[in-house]
Amino acid sequence: MRSLLFSFAIVLVCLGAAVGAFLAGRGSGADLSLASRAGAVAGYQEGARAGMNSGRHDGYRAGYGAGYHKAYTTAYRHAYRQALKR
Amino acid sequence: MRQAEGGFRVFSLAVVAIAIAAFAGVGYLVGRVERTSQASAASVQASAASVTYRRAESSAYHRGFKAQYGRGLAAGTASGTKTGAHLGRSAGRAAAASAAVTDQARALAAALASTPVALKRNAKTRICVPVGGGLCEVLGPGVTGKQCPRASTPSAEGGIVCVPQVLVQAAQAAGVPGLDTLTGAASSGSAGVSSTGSGVASTGSGVSSTGSGVASTGSGVAPATDASSTTP
């Protein structure tokens, strides 16, 4: 009985040593969750900045073109008629 | 006996220690193999960044587009109004000027067409045109657009013909009030400067009535060397 307990204790110690060493060997590696979170934050910020700039640029150009075309036609016709009347 | 038992215990402890060290070494090696590499971490980070980049870009693009569309519309309207008004005003003025010139040209053409002057096509105006009474007169600037030859003046009625100054002087000497009367008499005649098939056939009754001597000099007076060679 005593020998059995002694053997069991030795097995436990060996398992503990193996698990501890395993965790110690694995512990100094990179954290994937942390890397994923950092990449998501960086991608969001960069995408938001780029999308905002691009959207502003395109929106301004689209609005400018639409307003210019309509206003130009109207003003041209009006000024042409006014000058022709004089 | 005790020494053998003590040696056995030492040996057992050594075996146990070696076993523990072996387990620890194997565990450490396995853990090191399973350790996450920096490359995989970078790959995961790049993948996450790419996914969130697209989503954020799409949503931010729409927000930015809507935000700046109004400003662009206002700026484009202002610029288009200014440019369109400027160019439209210029074009309108040019069209008005062109229309005025066209109207003047039409009026002139109508006036010239209404005057009893008609020439055949390709009629030469370099030579004088015979008028009534044996006179020969050159078409004036009202028809040709060119100046009268020397020693002649355009008639008062539109400068249709060039009246030699000799005739004017002769008319004045004969008591005719002046050139206006002279030309007025010519225009008020039945034929006046009437259109004939061969050219200007002015009766020139006032001129011819002033004296036959004037009429006799008429052919020699009208040199018509500088007159135009075109027909109206």
Side-chain angles (χ1 to χ4, degrees):
Chain A
M1 188 64 185
R2 187 179 178 184
S3 175
L4 183 63
L5 290 176
F6 187 72
S7 299
F8 187 72
I10 291 172
V11 169
L12 287 181
V13 171
C14 288
L15 286 178
V19 171
F22 175 81
L23 294 177
R26 188 188 175 193
S28 61
D31 191 353
L32 286 182
S33 62
L34 184 62
S36 176
R37 196 177 306 122
V41 171
Y44 181 82
Q45 291 178 351
E46 194 68 24
R49 188 183 303 113
M52 184 64 73
N53 291 334
S54 179
R56 283 180 176 178
H57 183 262
D58 292 350
Y60 188 88
R61 285 190 62 185
Y64 188 92
Y68 185 91
H69 180 70
K70 186 176 181 180
Y72 180 88
T73 305
T74 305
Y76 186 93
R77 291 177 179 173
H78 182 71
Y80 185 86
R81 291 172 183 170
Q82 291 293 329
L84 208 57
K85 287 180 181 179
R86 296 174 184 174
Chain B
M1 187 65 182
R2 284 187 177 180
Q3 288 182 346
E5 201 169 310
F8 180 75
R9 284 184 178 180
V10 172
F11 180 75
S12 297
L13 290 177
V15 169
V16 169
I18 291 172
I20 291 171
F23 271 87
V26 171
Y28 182 81
L29 292 177
V30 172
R32 190 170 183 178
V33 169
E34 293 292 329
R35 184 171 58 186
T36 304
S37 64
Q38 294 294 333
S40 62
S43 175
V44 169
Q45 184 175 359
S47 175
S50 175
V51 171
T52 54
Y53 182 91
R54 292 173 186 173
R55 294 177 182 174
E57 184 186 23
S58 178
S59 61
Y61 181 86
H62 292 292
R63 281 189 276 112
F65 191 94
K66 291 179 181 178
Q68 288 296 320
Y69 186 86
R71 293 183 180 180
L73 186 68
T77 301
S79 178
T81 301
K82 184 178 180 181
T83 307
H86 178 69
L87 295 181
R89 194 180 306 116
S90 300
R93 287 175 181 173
S98 176
V101 171
T102 303
D103 291 342
Q104 290 179 357
R106 287 178 179 174
L108 181 60
L112 292 176
S114 63
T115 55
V117 177
L119 294 176
K120 276 187 173 180
R121 279 182 166 275
N122 300 326
K124 298 292 185 181
T125 57
R126 293 185 67 85
I127 61 175
C128 60
V129 177
V131 297
L135 294 178
C136 188
E137 294 178 347
V138 181
L139 291 177
V143 177
T144 62
K146 295 184 177 180
Q147 294 182 352
C148 287
R150 290 180 179 178
S152 63
T153 56
S155 62
E157 187 177 356
I160 297 173
V161 295
C162 294
V163 180
Q165 291 181 355
V166 175
L167 290 180
V168 177
Q169 294 173 0
Q172 290 176 352
V176 179
L179 184 59
D180 295 339
T181 306
L182 176 65
T183 56
S187 62
S188 62
S190 59
V193 185
S194 62
S195 62
T196 61
S198 59
V200 176
S202 172
T203 57
S205 59
V207 176
S208 61
S209 64
T210 56
S212 59
V214 173
S216 63
T217 58
S219 60
V221 167
T225 54
D226 296 332
S228 67
S229 61
T230 59
T231 58

